[in-house]
Amino acid sequence: MEMEYVHTHDDVYKIFCIKDKEHFMELYIVLAIMAFMIVGFLLNKWPFGLTTMTCCVLLALTGVFTIPEAFAGFCNKTLILLVGMFGMVSAFQKTSVVDKIQAQMIRLKGKSGMALVIGLYVVVIGLACFMPTTANMVVMLMFLVGLGDSGEVTPTRMTIPLLAMIGIWGSKLPIGMGAASHLNLNARYEGMLPEGSEGMLLDLMTRFKVMIVPCIILTIYCLFAWKWLPNKQFDSAKLEGKGGKKKEKTPLPKWQENLILGLFLVVMISLFFSKQLGDYMYLIPVTCLLIITFAGCMTPKETINAITIDAVWMIAGVLVIADALGKSGAGDVIGNGILKILGGNPTGLFVMFVFATVTVVMTTFMSNSATSNVLIPVAASVAIAAGWDPRGLVLIVSFCSNIAIAFPSGSPACGIAYASTGYKLGETFRFTLPFLVLAIISIVFSADFFCPIYG
């Protein structure tokens, strides 16, 4: 689509070639529903899942989506993966391995709180090379449960910093999932390039060079800034989907424990080989969970409790809202607004700061995948139309869409983290807002150094 400035409602109407004003009104309806979601998250008076499900109902009632479309999030393959992962984590917690891991973490915590923080971050970085961010968050929460609420390093206090670390390092190193990430980015804009412009495509090391400096800077920040978060009691029932006090764990028969551990290993291996397995990867966790349930390792009630937690409802709703924002043209309106902000003859740094800031804001409310899908083509098309090198802008959008952690709607991993901590959003801003400012500044200067838009 050719990019134009948007000055009036009529301009918007013409740009998107909307066939009738009924479709034009859908844009405003979706924006209003998104505003309701934002207010609901800020007030924190209701579970996040209730807020997003209300949004889905409103999308159906207003006719923006059909009923199947409004609740399509429950059929999303990412949610299917998450449901299985939640169940597998719940099953894993029934084994004696968890007790041993918890004992080791407590022992390490007793020696040095900083050593424990570094150890958790190292594990996150290692998993980020091979595991999707959402699955990484679920696995790390499993380990956090064993920390206990005494001392400075507590599960609640570490959840948001670990979410930040997952966003920082997800697919960033040139191994595992990160080895092909540049190809995924190229695929989103290479068709726009004129002939003979292959030099404007990303390669593995260019992406790594631009990303590594911001990753290191933000990691150093996370090593110390976790202390700014309130030290609150961690309610494991929010993660496990159980109410009330946690019951004493009954030891499993050896064969059942071995079955759980074996299937959990299968799930972990499948996540590492997600590219080779394709869509089968999304089915493996739930398949293993069914085997565990039929084998009697978990009761049907335990399985149902594990897969119907608030985070599942919230993620299902956020997926639909993100889809509505994309289909309604809200993302394109924002993109055209960027062109108006840029004006004539902007400096390279200014253009990069605008894209970085807009990406963070959009991701905060629109989910990271939806934002990158909208803004990467916009950034590339703006750069190409202006005769700029698009690589720096594309990398900025890619990076910033993964580190917008200030709201639970930023990504499924954000939803899981916030649903597990019990924090009000205002309690996390002391950590998240400086983090976002530092992320924007570091990625912009790194991209401008290695991939300046003026070449």
Side-chain angles (χ1 to χ4, degrees), residues 1 12 16 18 23 26-27 30-31 323-336 366 374:
M1 181 179 68
V12 178
F16 296 114
I18 300 173
H23 289 94
E26 288 182 359
L27 173 65
V30 171
L31 290 174
D323 191 40
L325 287 169
K327 289 186 176 180
S328 68
D332 290 326
V333 168
I334 296 171
N336 279 277
M366 192 172 168
V374 169

Side-chain angles (χ1 to χ4, degrees), residues 64 185 235 302 361 423:
V64 174
L185 294 175
D235 185 3
E302 287 175 330
V361 172
Y423 279 139

Side-chain angles (χ1 to χ4, degrees), residues 379-442:
S381 61
V382 169
I384 293 166
W388 302 335
D389 186 337
R391 294 178 299 169
L393 293 180
V394 168
L395 289 173
I396 284 173
V397 172
S398 174
F399 184 85
C400 290
S401 65
N402 287 319
I403 50 84
I405 61 169
F407 261 61
S409 53
S411 68
C414 289
I416 295 166
Y418 279 92
S420 302
T421 60
Y423 279 139
K424 295 180 179 179
L425 290 179
E427 294 177 318
T428 65
F429 286 161
R430 191 176 179 186
F431 174 91
T432 57
L433 295 185
F435 173 85
L436 294 178
V437 171
L438 186 60
I440 289 172
I441 293 172
S442 60

